[in-house]
């Protein structure tokens, strides 16, 4: 048996690439959820009410300090016990979104704290409402400096999507595994998956480094 | 089984493997990280290039893919590893790549004057690294290294997917036999949290102790 069979590799390539769609959709939807939830955590933690702040902080700490795989199992296997049965894709996206929202909330916090305190005073002086202060003054300045960090988490999350195969979502790793189980050849499918991840995430990280340099030129 | 019995049963069966995998792969990652980080600062282009490839490949592909590759593909090349070895190797290599970047940037952020001082004192290159640069760089690296250790600990749950009998795997087995799904997975989350959270806190304390009066 040859170590690497090109014919076989090309034969299975289309099937793996078509599964890439699931991986990419899960990443994008999961990340959207993570951004929204992350911002909500940050705002709740900054809330004036001590109770709200403590509960949100507690949830974030708990989620951050437990493995995402176990969280996925929890969402996929425990929620149905309470009558909430979720599709693997939905459970996976919720798991990814929830887990990464806790990291992003930390990023948002540091972004908000890096906004000059004078900006808050300006908002007060101009008689801006709380809502306007956030949407017009604070957030537009808090986001750009942390954009590269946010981008990094996007790439990290993309690389975590194979975990969704553990809750039976057929994304690229599971597709490769299924192909391997059928032909008893794992070398080509798993290697192709590795190369696909590298081919997508490496250029993305180079782009990000470029963005980071441009942003640091502007803001420092 | 009540909740406590579930916890005790999980701890009795899976905790040791989880901790063993964490400790061994953390050691491997630290060794690889320091070796890789120093080699990336080498003057030799070829060494830098080779380490660069190692770092980009392991950071650019996913840990689970690496784990499967090492466990399922290496046997095709005649290298059959036990689940523990495959797990330690995959996690160690993956986190080693990330750690090498932490080490590199830590060393690079030590003040330039320190290097000039070692030259003025006529220290050898080895002395310079060992006595002056690394002790200072290590303190700069500590927060990142601490974070990585916690990430590494959490990622050991993936080894259940290559049939290594860690906490997560045992939870799966227990779930199949008792069907007390809610209790089992809640217990599992609590166990991981009770280990990871003090680790997070402990790293912060260590960081404060070591930086006292220095920064």
């Amino acid at each position: 048996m040859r170590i690497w069979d090109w014919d076989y590799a090309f034969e299975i390539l289309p099937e793996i690439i078509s599964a890439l769609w699931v991986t990419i959709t899960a990443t994008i939807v999961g990340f959207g959820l993570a951004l929204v939830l992350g911002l909500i955590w940050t705002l709740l933690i900054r809330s004036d009410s001590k109770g709200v702040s403590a509960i949100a902080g507690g949830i974030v700490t708990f989620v951050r300090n437990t493995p995402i795989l176990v969280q996925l199992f929890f969402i996929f296997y425990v929620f149905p016990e309470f009558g909430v049965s979720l599709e693997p894709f939905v459970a996976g996206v919720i798991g990814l979104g929830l887990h990464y929202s806790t990291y992003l909330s930390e990023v948002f916090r540091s972004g908000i704290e890096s906004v000059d305190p004078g900006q808050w005073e300006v908002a007060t002086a101009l008689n801006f409402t709380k809502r306007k202060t956030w949407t017009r003054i604070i957030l537009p300045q808090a986001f750009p400096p942390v954009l590269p960090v946010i981008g990094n988490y996007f790439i990290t999350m993309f690389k975590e999507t194979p975990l969704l195969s553990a809750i039976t979502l057929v994304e690229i790793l599971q597709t490769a595994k299924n192909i391997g189980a059928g032909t008893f050849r794992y070398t080509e499918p798993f290697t192709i998956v590795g190369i696909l991840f590298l081919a997508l995430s490496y250029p993305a990280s180079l782009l990000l480094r470029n963005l980071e340099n441009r942003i640091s030129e502007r803001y420092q | 089984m009540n909740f406590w019995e579930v916890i005790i049963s999980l701890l009795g069966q899976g905790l040791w493997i989880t901790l063993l995998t964490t400790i061994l792969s953390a050691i491997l990652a630290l060794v690889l990280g320091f070796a890789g980080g120093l080699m990336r600062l080498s003057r030799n282009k070829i060494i830098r290039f080779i380490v660069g490839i190692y770092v980009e490949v392991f950071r650019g592909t996913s840990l689970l893919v690496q784990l499967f590759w090492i466990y399922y593909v290496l046997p095709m090349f005649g290298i059959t590893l036990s689940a523990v070895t495959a797990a330690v190797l995959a996690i160690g290599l993956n986190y080693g790549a990330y750690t090498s970047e932490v080490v590199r940037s830590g060393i690079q952020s030590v003040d330039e004057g320190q290097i000039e001082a070692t030259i003025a004192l006529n220290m050898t290159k080895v002395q310079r690294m060992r006595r002056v640069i690394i002790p200072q760089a290590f303190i700069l690296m500590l927060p990142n290294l601490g974070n990585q250790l916690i990430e590494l600990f959490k990622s050991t749950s993936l080894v259940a997917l290559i049939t290594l009998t860690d906490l997560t795997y045992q939870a799966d087995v227990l779930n199949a036999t008792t069907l007390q799904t809610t209790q089992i997975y809640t217990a599992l989350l609590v166990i991981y949290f009770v280990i990871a959270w003090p680790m997070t806190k402990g790293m912060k304390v260590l960081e404060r102790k070591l930086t006292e009066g220095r920064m």
Side-chain angles (χ1 to χ4, degrees):
Chain A
M1 204 158 81
R2 271 173 299 174
I3 282 177
W4 180 268
D5 186 341
W6 281 107
D7 292 337
Y8 174 59
F10 279 112
E11 193 189 310
I12 62 174
L13 191 59
E15 198 179 335
I16 295 179
I17 287 186
S18 66
L20 196 58
W21 175 241
V22 179
T23 297
I24 290 175
T25 328
T27 311
I28 293 172
V29 179
F31 202 71
L33 184 65
L35 284 172
V36 174
L37 263 180
L39 194 58
I40 292 175
W41 296 136
T42 313
L43 297 179
L44 288 181
I45 290 172
R46 293 181 63 95
S47 146
D48 291 332
S49 151
K50 270 200 175 149
V52 172
S53 168
I55 291 169
I59 294 172
V60 168
T61 307
F62 188 81
V63 173
R64 269 188 86 122
N65 283 291
T66 46
I68 182 168
L69 181 65
V70 181
Q71 290 161 10
L72 287 169
F73 283 153
F74 193 89
I75 294 168
F76 194 61
Y77 295 120
V78 176
F79 279 21
E81 306 270 306
F82 298 94
V84 188
S85 285
L86 300 168
E87 299 267 315
F89 182 85
V90 179
V93 163
I94 293 176
L96 282 174
L98 177 68
H99 193 79
Y100 278 89
S101 71
T102 62
Y103 290 86
L104 289 179
S105 111
E106 187 69 14
V107 176
F108 293 151
R109 186 190 58 81
S110 75
I112 291 167
E113 281 174 7
S114 71
V115 174
D116 189 84
Q119 299 291 319
W120 291 94
E121 289 159 21
V122 169
T124 316
L126 291 173
N127 210 14
F128 272 36
T129 60
K130 219 174 178 186
R131 188 194 177 86
K132 245 182 156 181
T133 308
W134 277 106
T135 55
R136 299 281 175 82
I137 299 186
I138 304 303
L139 292 181
Q141 294 184 77
F143 268 118
V146 293
L147 218 53
V149 188
I150 295 175
N152 254 325
Y153 276 118
F154 182 75
I155 299 175
T156 308
M157 186 192 239
F158 169 62
K159 287 181 290 185
E160 291 262 49
T161 53
L163 291 188
L164 305 192
S165 66
I167 53 166
T168 73
L169 182 71
V170 186
E171 39 65 71
I172 55 174
L173 186 65
Q174 189 60 41
T175 307
K177 214 177 164 190
N178 292 346
I179 292 171
T183 58
F184 296 105
R185 286 196 69 101
Y186 284 104
T187 314
E188 293 85 354
F190 282 162
T191 309
I192 290 173
V193 170
I195 292 171
L196 281 177
F197 270 109
L198 191 61
L200 288 169
S201 73
Y202 186 60
S205 71
L206 289 184
L207 272 177
L208 212 61
R209 218 169 290 168
N210 192 305
L211 177 77
E212 199 177 339
N213 289 337
R214 269 195 291 167
I215 286 176
S216 63
E217 264 168 35
R218 240 180 88 184
Y219 283 84
Q220 273 156 20
Chain B
M1 270 202 277
N2 66 34
F3 191 66
W4 288 109
E5 283 166 348
V6 170
I7 287 199
I8 289 163
S9 161
L10 283 177
L11 285 178
Q13 290 173 333
L15 183 66
W16 169 237
I17 293 287
T18 293
L19 292 182
L20 184 74
T21 314
T22 306
I23 294 166
L24 292 181
S25 44
I27 293 171
L28 180 61
L30 203 60
V31 172
L32 282 173
F34 266 89
L38 290 173
M39 280 157 84
R40 255 208 145 167
L41 295 169
S42 150
R43 281 209 197 136
N44 187 327
K45 259 191 185 166
I46 300 166
I47 293 181
R48 279 206 315 259
F49 181 73
I50 293 170
V51 177
I53 289 190
Y54 155 66
V55 172
E56 295 307 343
V57 165
F58 278 89
R59 290 201 316 169
T61 55
S62 143
L63 173 59
L64 189 59
V65 176
Q66 291 155 23
L67 200 61
F68 278 9
W69 208 88
I70 289 176
Y71 193 62
Y72 294 111
V73 176
L74 283 187
M76 307 263 173
F77 298 93
I79 307 167
T80 305
L81 301 170
S82 69
V84 186
T85 319
V88 169
L89 201 60
I91 299 175
L93 281 166
N94 183 281
Y95 279 88
Y98 285 96
T99 307
S100 80
E101 287 292 279
V102 173
V103 171
R104 183 183 60 83
S105 77
I107 289 175
Q108 280 177 330
S109 38
V110 172
D111 191 75
E112 192 86 20
Q114 299 289 324
I115 297 171
E116 286 161 18
T118 60
I119 297 170
L121 290 170
N122 210 14
M123 282 185 169
T124 64
K125 263 189 176 171
V126 177
Q127 276 178 328
R128 176 202 299 174
M129 270 296 162
R130 212 176 47 131
R131 300 267 185 87
V132 180
I133 308 298
I134 291 183
Q136 294 181 57
F138 189 71
I139 289 171
L140 296 172
M141 294 171 206
L142 209 62
N144 278 325
L145 292 180
N147 276 340
Q148 294 222 336
L149 180 65
I150 289 143
E151 292 298 318
L152 183 147
F153 165 69
K154 289 190 292 173
S155 73
T156 59
S157 59
L158 299 197
V159 304
L161 303 175
I162 58 162
T163 71
L164 187 57
T165 55
D166 75 326
L167 284 167
T168 307
Y169 185 89
Q170 298 295 0
D172 215 31
V173 172
L174 202 61
N175 185 34
T177 49
T178 65
L179 296 177
Q180 291 180 304
T181 314
T182 308
Q183 292 199 348
I184 291 166
Y185 285 107
T186 308
L188 187 60
L189 280 174
V190 170
I191 292 172
Y192 275 110
F193 179 73
V194 167
I195 302 171
W197 197 53
M199 262 162 79
T200 314
K201 290 271 158 201
M203 289 310 297
K204 289 230 172 86
V205 172
L206 184 67
E207 211 181 298
R208 214 176 308 131
K209 279 251 161 80
L210 286 177
T211 52
E212 235 162 41
R214 282 179 193 247
M215 284 176 176

